Coordinates of all heavy atoms in Angstrom, one line a residue:
T6 N 184.1 234.7 -5.8 CA 184.5 234.4 -4.4 C 184.0 235.5 -3.5 O 183.5 236.5 -4.0 CB 186.1 234.3 -4.3 OG1 186.6 235.6 -4.8 CG2 186.6 233.2 -5.1
G7 N 184.1 235.3 -2.2 CA 183.6 236.2 -1.3 C 182.0 236.1 -1.0 O 181.5 237.1 -0.4
L8 N 181.4 235.1 -1.3 CA 180.0 234.9 -1.2 C 179.6 234.8 0.2 O 180.3 234.1 1.0 CB 179.5 233.8 -2.1 CG 179.6 233.8 -3.6 CD1 179.3 232.6 -4.3 CD2 178.8 235.1 -4.1
S9 N 178.5 235.2 0.5 CA 177.8 235.1 1.8 C 177.4 233.6 2.0 O 177.1 232.8 1.1 CB 176.7 236.0 2.1 OG 176.0 235.6 3.2
F10 N 177.3 233.1 3.2 CA 176.8 231.8 3.5 C 175.3 231.8 3.2 O 174.6 230.7 3.2 CB 177.0 231.4 5.0 CG 178.5 231.2 5.3 CD1 179.0 231.7 6.5 CD2 179.3 230.6 4.4 CE1 180.5 231.4 6.7 CE2 180.7 230.3 4.6 CZ 181.2 230.8 5.8
R11 N 174.7 232.9 3.1 CA 173.2 233.0 2.9 C 172.9 232.9 1.3 O 171.7 232.8 1.0 CB 172.5 234.2 3.4 CG 172.7 234.2 4.9 CD 172.1 235.6 5.4 NE 172.8 236.7 4.7 CZ 172.8 237.9 5.1 NH1 172.4 238.3 6.2 NH2 173.6 238.8 4.4
T12 N 173.9 233.1 0.4 CA 173.7 233.1 -0.9 C 173.3 231.8 -1.5 O 173.7 230.7 -1.0 CB 175.1 233.5 -1.7 OG1 175.5 234.7 -1.2 CG2 174.9 233.6 -3.1
T13 N 172.2 231.9 -2.4 CA 171.7 230.6 -3.0 C 172.0 230.7 -4.5 O 172.3 231.6 -5.1 CB 170.2 230.5 -2.8 OG1 169.6 231.6 -3.5 CG2 169.9 230.5 -1.3
E14 N 171.7 229.5 -5.1 CA 172.0 229.4 -6.6 C 171.0 230.5 -7.3 O 171.3 231.1 -8.3 CB 171.8 228.0 -7.1 CG 173.0 227.1 -6.8 CD 172.9 225.8 -7.6 OE1 172.1 225.6 -8.5 OE2 173.8 224.9 -7.3
D15 N 169.8 230.5 -6.7 CA 168.8 231.3 -7.3 C 169.2 232.9 -7.3 O 169.1 233.7 -8.1 CB 167.5 231.2 -6.6 CG 166.8 229.9 -7.0 OD1 167.1 229.3 -8.1 OD2 166.0 229.5 -6.2
N16 N 169.8 233.3 -6.1 CA 170.4 234.7 -5.9 C 171.5 234.9 -6.9 O 171.5 236.0 -7.6 CB 171.0 234.8 -4.5 CG 169.9 234.9 -3.4 OD1 168.7 234.7 -3.7 ND2 170.3 235.1 -2.2
L17 N 172.4 233.9 -7.1 CA 173.4 234.1 -8.2 C 172.8 234.2 -9.5 O 173.3 235.1 -10.2 CB 174.4 232.9 -8.0 CG 175.4 232.9 -7.0 CD1 176.2 231.5 -6.9 CD2 176.4 234.0 -7.2
R18 N 172.0 233.3 -9.9 CA 171.4 233.4 -11.1 C 170.8 234.7 -11.4 O 170.9 235.3 -12.6 CB 170.4 232.3 -11.3 CG 169.9 232.0 -12.8 CD 169.0 230.8 -12.9 NE 169.8 229.5 -12.6 CZ 170.7 228.9 -13.5 NH1 170.8 229.4 -14.7 NH2 171.3 227.8 -13.3
T19 N 169.9 235.2 -10.5 CA 169.2 236.4 -10.6 C 170.3 237.6 -10.8 O 170.1 238.5 -11.6 CB 168.4 236.7 -9.4 OG1 167.4 235.6 -9.3 CG2 167.6 238.0 -9.6
A20 N 171.4 237.6 -10.1 CA 172.2 238.8 -10.1 C 173.0 238.7 -11.4 O 173.4 239.7 -11.9 CB 173.3 238.6 -8.9
F21 N 173.3 237.5 -11.9 CA 174.2 237.4 -13.1 C 173.4 237.3 -14.4 O 174.1 237.4 -15.5 CB 175.2 236.3 -12.9 CG 176.4 236.5 -12.1 CD1 176.3 236.4 -10.7 CD2 177.6 237.1 -12.5 CE1 177.3 236.7 -9.8 CE2 178.6 237.5 -11.7 CZ 178.5 237.2 -10.4
E22 N 172.2 237.0 -14.4 CA 171.4 236.8 -15.6 C 171.3 238.1 -16.5 O 171.0 238.1 -17.7 CB 170.1 236.2 -15.4 CG 170.1 234.8 -15.3 CD 168.7 234.2 -15.3 OE1 167.8 234.9 -14.9 OE2 168.6 233.0 -15.6
Q23 N 171.6 239.3 -15.8 CA 171.5 240.6 -16.6 C 172.6 240.7 -17.7 O 172.4 241.5 -18.6 CB 171.5 241.8 -15.6 CG 172.8 241.8 -14.8 CD 172.9 242.9 -13.8 OE1 172.2 243.9 -14.0 NE2 173.5 242.7 -12.6
F24 N 173.6 239.9 -17.6 CA 174.7 240.0 -18.6 C 174.6 238.9 -19.7 O 175.4 239.0 -20.7 CB 176.1 239.7 -17.8 CG 176.3 240.8 -16.8 CD1 176.1 240.5 -15.4 CD2 176.6 242.1 -17.1 CE1 176.3 241.3 -14.4 CE2 176.8 243.0 -16.1 CZ 176.6 242.7 -14.8
G25 N 173.7 238.0 -19.5 CA 173.5 237.0 -20.7 C 172.9 235.7 -20.1 O 172.5 235.6 -18.9
K26 N 172.8 234.7 -20.9 CA 172.2 233.5 -20.5 C 173.2 232.5 -19.9 O 174.2 232.2 -20.5 CB 171.6 232.7 -21.8 CG 170.9 231.4 -21.5 CD 170.0 231.0 -22.7 CE 169.5 229.6 -22.5 NZ 168.9 229.4 -21.3
L27 N 173.0 232.2 -18.7 CA 173.9 231.3 -17.9 C 173.5 229.8 -18.3 O 172.3 229.4 -18.3 CB 173.6 231.4 -16.4 CG 174.2 232.7 -15.8 CD1 173.6 233.0 -14.4 CD2 175.7 232.6 -15.7
T28 N 174.6 229.1 -18.5 CA 174.4 227.7 -18.8 C 174.7 226.8 -17.6 O 174.4 225.7 -17.5 CB 175.4 227.2 -19.9 OG1 176.7 227.6 -19.7 CG2 175.0 228.0 -21.3
L29 N 175.5 227.4 -16.7 CA 175.9 226.6 -15.4 C 176.1 227.6 -14.3 O 176.7 228.6 -14.4 CB 177.2 225.9 -15.7 CG 177.8 225.2 -14.5 CD1 177.0 223.9 -14.2 CD2 179.3 225.0 -14.6
V30 N 175.5 227.2 -13.2 CA 175.7 227.9 -11.8 C 176.0 226.7 -10.8 O 175.1 225.9 -10.6 CB 174.4 228.6 -11.4 CG1 174.6 229.3 -10.0 CG2 174.0 229.7 -12.4
N31 N 177.3 226.8 -10.3 CA 177.7 225.6 -9.4 C 178.2 226.4 -8.0 O 179.3 226.8 -8.0 CB 178.8 224.8 -10.0 CG 179.3 223.8 -9.1 OD1 178.6 223.6 -8.2 ND2 180.4 223.1 -9.4
L32 N 177.2 226.4 -7.1 CA 177.5 227.0 -5.8 C 178.1 225.8 -5.0 O 177.5 224.9 -4.7 CB 176.3 227.6 -5.2 CG 176.4 228.1 -3.8 CD1 177.4 229.4 -3.8 CD2 175.0 228.6 -3.3
V33 N 179.4 226.0 -4.6 CA 180.1 224.8 -4.0 C 179.6 224.8 -2.5 O 179.7 225.8 -1.8 CB 181.6 225.0 -4.0 CG1 182.3 223.9 -3.3 CG2 182.0 225.2 -5.5
M34 N 179.1 223.7 -2.1 CA 178.5 223.6 -0.7 C 179.4 222.8 0.2 O 180.2 221.9 -0.3 CB 177.2 222.8 -0.8 CG 176.1 223.4 -1.6 SD 175.6 224.9 -0.9 CE 174.6 224.3 0.4
D35 N 179.5 223.1 1.6 CA 180.1 222.4 2.6 C 179.1 221.3 3.0 O 178.0 221.5 3.4 CB 180.4 223.3 3.8 CG 181.2 222.6 4.8 OD1 181.2 221.4 4.9 OD2 181.9 223.3 5.6
K36 N 179.6 220.0 2.7 CA 178.6 218.9 3.0 C 178.5 218.7 4.5 O 177.3 218.2 4.8 CB 179.3 217.6 2.3 CG 179.3 217.7 0.9 CD 180.0 216.5 0.2 CE 180.0 216.6 -1.3 NZ 180.9 215.6 -1.9
V37 N 179.3 219.0 5.3 CA 179.2 218.8 6.8 C 178.2 219.9 7.3 O 177.3 219.6 8.0 CB 180.5 218.8 7.5 CG1 180.4 218.7 9.0 CG2 181.4 217.7 7.0
A38 N 178.5 221.1 7.0 CA 177.7 222.3 7.7 C 176.6 222.5 6.8 O 175.6 223.2 7.2 CB 178.6 223.5 7.7
N39 N 176.4 221.9 5.6 CA 175.2 222.1 4.7 C 174.9 223.6 4.3 O 173.8 224.1 4.5 CB 173.9 221.4 5.2 CG 172.9 221.3 4.2 OD1 173.3 221.2 3.1 ND2 171.7 221.2 4.6
R40 N 176.0 224.3 4.1 CA 175.9 225.7 3.7 C 177.0 225.9 2.6 O 177.9 225.2 2.4 CB 176.1 226.7 4.9 CG 177.5 226.6 5.4 CD 177.7 227.5 6.5 NE 179.0 227.6 6.9 CZ 179.5 228.2 8.0 NH1 178.7 228.8 8.9 NH2 180.8 228.2 8.3
P41 N 176.8 227.1 1.9 CA 177.8 227.4 0.8 C 179.3 227.6 1.4 O 179.3 228.1 2.5 CB 177.3 228.7 0.2 CG 175.8 228.7 0.5 CD 175.7 228.0 1.9
R42 N 180.2 227.3 0.7 CA 181.6 227.5 1.1 C 182.2 228.9 0.8 O 183.2 229.2 1.2 CB 182.5 226.4 0.5 CG 182.2 225.0 1.0 CD 183.1 224.0 0.6 NE 184.5 224.4 1.0 CZ 185.6 223.8 0.5 NH1 185.6 222.9 -0.4 NH2 186.8 224.2 0.8
G43 N 181.4 229.7 0.1 CA 181.8 231.0 -0.2 C 182.3 231.4 -1.5 O 182.8 232.3 -1.8
F44 N 182.1 230.2 -2.4 CA 182.6 230.6 -3.9 C 181.7 229.6 -4.8 O 181.0 228.7 -4.3 CB 184.1 230.3 -4.0 CG 184.5 228.8 -3.9 CD1 184.5 228.0 -5.0 CD2 184.8 228.3 -2.6 CE1 184.9 226.7 -4.7 CE2 185.2 227.0 -2.4 CZ 185.3 226.1 -3.5
A45 N 181.7 230.1 -6.0 CA 180.8 229.4 -7.0 C 181.5 229.5 -8.4 O 182.4 230.4 -8.7 CB 179.4 230.0 -7.1
F46 N 181.1 228.6 -9.3 CA 181.6 228.7 -10.7 C 180.4 228.9 -11.5 O 179.3 228.3 -11.3 CB 182.3 227.3 -11.0 CG 183.5 227.0 -10.3 CD1 183.5 226.2 -9.2 CD2 184.8 227.5 -10.8 CE1 184.7 226.0 -8.5 CE2 186.0 227.3 -10.1 CZ 185.9 226.5 -9.0
L47 N 180.6 229.8 -12.5 CA 179.5 230.1 -13.4 C 180.0 230.0 -14.9 O 181.1 230.1 -15.1 CB 178.8 231.4 -13.2 CG 178.1 231.6 -11.9 CD1 179.1 232.1 -10.8 CD2 177.0 232.6 -12.1
K48 N 179.0 229.8 -15.9 CA 179.4 229.8 -17.2 C 178.2 230.3 -18.1 O 177.1 230.0 -17.8 CB 179.7 228.3 -17.7 CG 180.1 228.1 -19.2 CD 180.4 226.8 -19.6 CE 180.9 226.8 -20.9 NZ 181.2 225.3 -21.3
Y49 N 178.7 231.1 -19.1 CA 177.7 231.7 -20.0 C 177.9 231.0 -21.3 O 178.8 230.4 -21.6 CB 178.0 233.3 -20.2 CG 177.5 234.1 -19.0 CD1 178.4 234.5 -18.1 CD2 176.2 234.5 -19.0 CE1 177.9 235.4 -17.0 CE2 175.6 235.3 -18.0 CZ 176.6 235.8 -17.0 OH 176.2 236.6 -16.0

Side-chain angles (χ1 to χ4, degrees):
T6 58
L8 295 172
S9 167
F10 295 138
R11 296 177 307 201
T12 302
T13 64
E14 283 190 13
D15 291 335
N16 291 2
L17 278 173
R18 189 172 296 279
T19 302
F21 281 89
E22 275 186 337
Q23 61 184 329
F24 300 103
K26 183 165 172 48
L27 284 166
T28 58
L29 173 77
V30 176
N31 180 12
L32 180 62
V33 181
M34 298 292 285
D35 184 336
K36 293 177 182 169
V37 175
N39 196 27
R40 67 179 187 188
R42 291 188 59 194
F44 65 97
F46 294 96
L47 291 95
K48 183 178 181 180
Y49 283 99

